[in-house]
Amino acid sequence: MPLALLALAVSAFGIGTTEFVMMGLLPNVAGDLGTSVPTAGYLVSAYALGVVFGAPLLTALGSRIPRKRMLILLMGVFTIGNLASALAPTFGTLIAGRVLAGLPHGAFFGVGSVVAARLAGEGRQARAVAMMFLGLTVANIVGVPAATLLGQHLGWRATFLVVAGIGLAAMAALARLIPDLPHEQGAGLGRELRALGGRQVLLGLLTTVFGFAGVFAVYSYLSAMAVEVTGFSETSVTFVLALFGTGMTLGVLAAGPLTDRALRPTLYGALAGLAAVLVLFDFTVHVKWAALATVVLIGAAGSMTSTPLQMLIMNKAKSAPTLAAASNHSAFNLANAGGAWLGGIAIASGWGWTSPTLVGAALAAAGLLCAVVSGALDRDGAEPSRVVASGDADRERDTAQERVG
């Protein structure tokens, strides 16, 4: 694999750390800025809001900027957002900093996915995209716990200063390791928008929303279930979450080569497996060793869907994949919010702490249905892991349409 993928993975590590670390720092932030923990929870939503709106907006604005330069600019915005968060004097300015830090998230992964696929070449594109996503999953194992510990001992501002430092290191790595891609300039906003409106792209985004909502319906309440149902102490919750992150990493590692070999079957299998292990968790959550094993499986099955979904949407967007790939991360964050909301409704309705597992299974099954419908609408159902470079689009359009349906 090209060394340039390391620069993308380092960037993804920083993005993943700042996205999830706030959940562990809410009490510290609330105490320091004189607000309640539930109110401080809006900081999590603020970042997600930045992702949802920033992905299509920044991708559209940068549609004609060379991709290497665009990646560096996006990490620059990310770094400024985290620095602004570290220096925020009030809760309102911290909200603004979190929104700013979230704005480049989806656009970076959209552009980065296209660059990774282009650098890897045919037959290894999904593995390249998975390597970038690996930085995101490793952040859940190493980055988030370490950053949380740092924030608890040195203050939450120190956490965001360190993340800003990771952003600067990522910018340097991108500048040094990503080659210039003169023929990889954006396809133009009009073509990107037309590609985004394609039936198969929209079905892919819908699959992401439902499928990942199933993951977050459970992940959002995993700590509470571990304590209230399984019987773990509050100090053991970090270990449970680290196991979830380990499962995510294993899932991403497996998804790359499997997607290169057979995209649709990998997606179907991951979504079906996710629905099955979420149902299983409703039973195993009562036994500690079984609950821990199932948590790893949930993380693995959930993350196994990310690479084939990203490749599917990029393939279906044909010669203008960047906006569609970025919008997929808006869909991930909608899934985050929607899954947490539905899981919370189930608990608030008196269905019990384990009820989000069945809600999540139903959502994963709905995602599988969307994926199957999408496959049935294809002429041949075959999905090669191939992304057409926009610079070669005019020359390859007919061939690309024939190959990806």
Side-chain angles (χ1 to χ4, degrees):
M1 283 291 176
L3 189 60
L5 295 179
L6 177 63
L8 295 174
V10 170
S11 303
F13 177 83
I15 291 172
T17 299
T18 203
E19 179 180 15
F20 294 109
V21 73
M22 183 55 74
M23 298 173 187
L25 296 178
L26 290 180
N28 308 75
V29 173
D32 187 47
L33 296 181
T35 189
S36 66
V37 171
T39 300
Y42 291 134
L43 294 166
V44 177
S45 302
Y47 184 91
L49 189 67
V51 179
V52 170
F53 288 100
L57 177 63
L58 293 186
T59 303
L61 290 175
S63 62
R64 293 197 176 277
I65 298 176
R67 286 181 172 135
K68 176 179 178 176
R69 187 184 305 168
M70 185 65 176
L71 289 171
I72 296 172
L73 288 172
L74 290 169
M75 283 309 297
V77 175
F78 169 84
T79 302
I80 293 171
N82 280 282
L83 184 60
S85 298
L87 301 177
T90 65
F91 183 71
T93 53
L94 181 55
I95 285 277
R98 289 292 288 171
V99 172
L100 182 60
L103 284 175
H105 179 129
F108 182 89
F109 281 108
V111 177
S113 294
V114 175
V115 169
R118 177 66 173 172
L119 292 175
E122 283 197 58
R124 299 179 66 85
Q125 293 186 331
R127 269 168 280 198
V129 172
M131 286 300 294
M132 181 181 64
F133 284 150
L134 194 61
L136 198 61
T137 62
V138 171
N140 283 277
I141 304 174
V142 179
V144 173
T148 301
L149 192 64
L150 176 69
Q152 290 170 346
H153 285 81
L154 298 181
W156 59 271
R157 296 180 188 277
T159 295
F160 292 110
L161 283 174
V162 169
V163 174
I166 295 174
L168 288 174
M171 291 174 67
L174 291 168
R176 177 69 180 85
L177 298 177
I178 300 292
D180 290 316
L181 301 171
H183 299 295
E184 283 288 293
Q185 293 185 358
L189 182 56
R191 184 184 293 172
E192 293 279 0
L193 289 172
R194 287 193 296 273
L196 183 63
R199 179 177 61 183
Q200 288 287 1
V201 173
L202 293 176
L203 277 171
L205 294 174
L206 198 60
T207 302
T208 296
V209 170
F210 280 112
F212 254 77
V215 176
F216 283 109
V218 173
Y219 180 73
S220 302
Y221 304 99
L222 187 57
S223 298
M225 283 188 275
V227 173
E228 300 292 338
V229 181
T230 313
F232 284 106
S233 65
E234 291 187 0
T235 56
S236 300
V237 168
T238 301
F239 174 68
V240 176
L241 297 178
L243 282 179
F244 184 88
T246 301
M248 290 181 67
T249 301
L250 294 174
V252 168
L253 287 172
L258 288 173
T259 303
D260 276 327
R261 179 172 296 183
L263 193 158
R264 287 279 186 186
T266 300
L267 179 58
Y268 296 157
L271 288 169
L274 176 61
V277 296
L278 288 174
V279 172
L280 178 65
F281 193 47
D282 192 51
F283 299 94
T284 62
V285 69
H286 302 281
V287 182
K288 287 186 177 180
W289 69 266
L292 293 177
T294 311
V295 164
V296 175
L297 292 176
I298 294 171
S303 65
M304 276 191 71
T305 66
S306 60
T307 300
L309 276 169
Q310 189 80 344
M311 294 305 300
L312 174 68
I313 288 171
M314 289 163 67
N315 286 343
K316 289 306 179 184
K318 297 185 175 67
S319 60
T322 310
L323 182 57
S327 297
N328 196 35
H329 289 271
S330 294
F332 280 129
N333 278 267
L334 288 174
N336 187 341
W341 178 62
L342 291 173
I345 287 178
I347 294 172
S349 298
W351 296 349
W353 282 108
T354 64
S355 57
T357 62
L358 300 182
V359 171
L363 290 167
L368 176 59
L369 178 61
C370 292
V372 170
V373 169
S374 173
L377 292 175
D378 274 338
R379 290 197 303 269
D380 55 14
E383 292 294 339
S385 296
R386 181 174 185 270
V387 178
V388 180
S390 60
D392 299 328
D394 293 334
R395 184 173 67 250
E396 298 192 40
R397 185 180 299 112
D398 293 337
T399 303
Q401 290 175 345
E402 180 180 344
R403 294 186 63 176
V404 300

